[in-house]
Amino acid sequence: MTTSDDTKKGLSRRSMFGAAAVAASAIPAFSAARAQGVRMTNAPLNSTSLDGLPGQGGNGPIRVLFISSYHPFDRENLFRTWDSFGKDITWTHVEHPAAEHFYDPALAADYDVFLSYDAFAGRKLGAPDANGRRQASYPPPSAKLQANMKKLMQNGDKGFIYFHHALASWVHSWPAGVNGSNAYVEMLGGAADWGLPLQNLRGKTYPNSGYRQGTEQFVSVVDKAHPITQGLGDGFPIIDETYLCPMFEDSVHCLTRTNFVPTEDKFRRSPNMSNVGAGHPPGSTMTSWVKTAENSPIVYIQHGHDNNAWSNPYWRTLMLNAIKWAASPESKTWAKANAKRIFV
């Protein structure tokens, strides 16, 4: 596929080119964090100053493609967060469905890291009915997209980071992989959908997932030697949305865990929570991990709902470390040495 410069610009919404602590132990950590300036209440949502930032889109050596879809988010502050990494990264934003073109290895050549925040990728919404409702359908990915994704993962020359609601993409319609489970879900290591049950996940059906916003947590570092956790110490406090959904601990290498234990009863108490499906099994406390898919390194970070997380310096350290690691030759060497076949 050949794409002109004008077409590439059209595909991108914002193209910026350029060169295990327990709950009790969390209490003093929250106090210390407040004293150090970590925002532990609602962080400001608006800002007009670019002072101190290295420039919109960044000018660093790591080329990042930031992918989003459907789920609304505070673009101003998340884009400012990426700009704050601008001495290390240069980033470009593209949305689904246009983003799917960039899984073509020829177009992917312009990027080092795919950074995905793309809930509900693959979902199609029909025309509004008489009540203004739009019915959703979940067609399978095209044969071309499946082939491109498989080839990109097999090439092993890109790093992939998925965070927060990216667990909710292609969870209903991606065909099964080598173990008979949804291959896209196996690629990430987990799945979520807050409105529908999840099927074809290792022979099980899970009730619809749960979310709980504004949850105070202490996140413990499990692997203190990994490059992604450097600078985080033993752990950090955060206020963020947390999930109750399937996560497959046997297929990932855990980096961090929350002291918030997700169980069904904790997701039914206020308007800031989803109505989790009855009978949902207890969830994992993992909040970040690394794994492999084919020959490629994969990172997942559950944190990152809004500016309460994005403005947290520990979250920024975690995310920037993840970007640097995913782009590094070391991550590619590790992935190829621990290759995991996913796609048929």
Side-chain angles (χ1 to χ4, degrees), residues 142-344:
S142 68
K144 182 178 180 180
L145 176 56
Q146 292 182 55
N148 282 342
M149 181 69 78
K150 179 179 178 179
K151 180 62 175 174
L152 201 57
M153 292 290 164
Q154 289 179 336
N155 285 349
D157 57 355
K158 308 296 176 188
F160 297 85
I161 302 171
Y162 300 86
F163 74 104
H164 201 55
H165 50 236
L167 274 188
S169 283
W170 297 109
V171 295
H172 299 294
S173 58
W174 201 282
V178 294
N179 73 348
S181 183
N182 180 307
Y184 196 91
V185 170
E186 293 292 338
M187 186 178 75
L188 267 68
D193 190 314
W194 305 278
L196 292 174
L198 295 165
Q199 302 179 25
N200 188 28
L201 301 186
R202 299 187 173 186
K204 293 183 62 175
T205 294
Y206 291 83
N208 55 279
S209 307
Y211 68 77
R212 177 185 168 119
Q213 297 177 352
T215 304
E216 286 198 2
Q217 305 165 63
F218 185 83
V219 179
S220 296
V221 175
V222 175
D223 185 350
K224 297 179 182 179
H226 199 281
I228 293 178
T229 61
Q230 299 310 293
L232 300 179
D234 292 333
F236 58 92
I238 195 168
I239 293 178
D240 201 9
E241 182 178 74
T242 188
Y243 295 158
L244 174 58
C245 65
M247 298 177 179
F248 304 131
E249 297 211 11
D250 63 337
S251 69
V252 308
H253 176 78
C254 180
L255 300 178
T256 61
R257 290 186 182 274
T258 176
N259 67 339
F260 177 84
V261 179
T263 53
E264 181 185 337
D265 61 299
K266 297 174 184 174
F267 289 80
R268 295 185 179 279
R269 294 182 182 172
S270 86
N272 293 326
M273 304 175 199
S274 66
N275 188 25
V276 65
H280 199 295
S284 171
T285 59
M286 295 192 301
T287 61
S288 67
W289 61 72
V290 293
K291 67 183 300 294
T292 58
E294 305 291 343
N295 294 309
S296 296
I298 306 289
V299 183
Y300 176 71
I301 298 172
Q302 192 276 319
H303 307 295
H305 177 70
D306 59 18
N307 201 39
N308 285 312
W310 311 330
S311 61
N312 184 315
Y314 296 101
W315 186 90
R316 290 192 174 194
T317 295
L318 178 68
M319 180 59 75
L320 184 55
N321 285 350
I323 292 172
K324 290 178 177 179
W325 181 78
S328 70
E330 291 76 16
S331 73
K332 315 304 191 305
T333 300
W334 173 79
K336 290 174 182 176
N338 296 276
K340 176 69 173 178
R341 189 178 171 203
I342 299 290
F343 299 100
V344 174

Side-chain angles (χ1 to χ4, degrees), residues 8 16-19 57-67 82 85-93 102 105-115 157-161 320 322-324 326-328 332:
K8 286 185 178 181
M16 301 296 182
F17 296 97
N59 53 24
I62 301 174
R63 301 166 302 169
V64 175
L65 184 66
F66 172 54
I67 298 172
W82 304 149
F85 298 164
K87 293 180 181 178
D88 295 292
I89 73 171
T90 299
W91 66 277
T92 301
H93 177 219
F102 288 87
L107 291 178
D110 289 335
Y111 304 97
D112 304 305
V113 174
F114 281 60
L115 176 60
D157 57 355
K158 308 296 176 188
F160 297 85
I161 302 171
L320 184 55
I323 292 172
K324 290 178 177 179
S328 70
K332 315 304 191 305

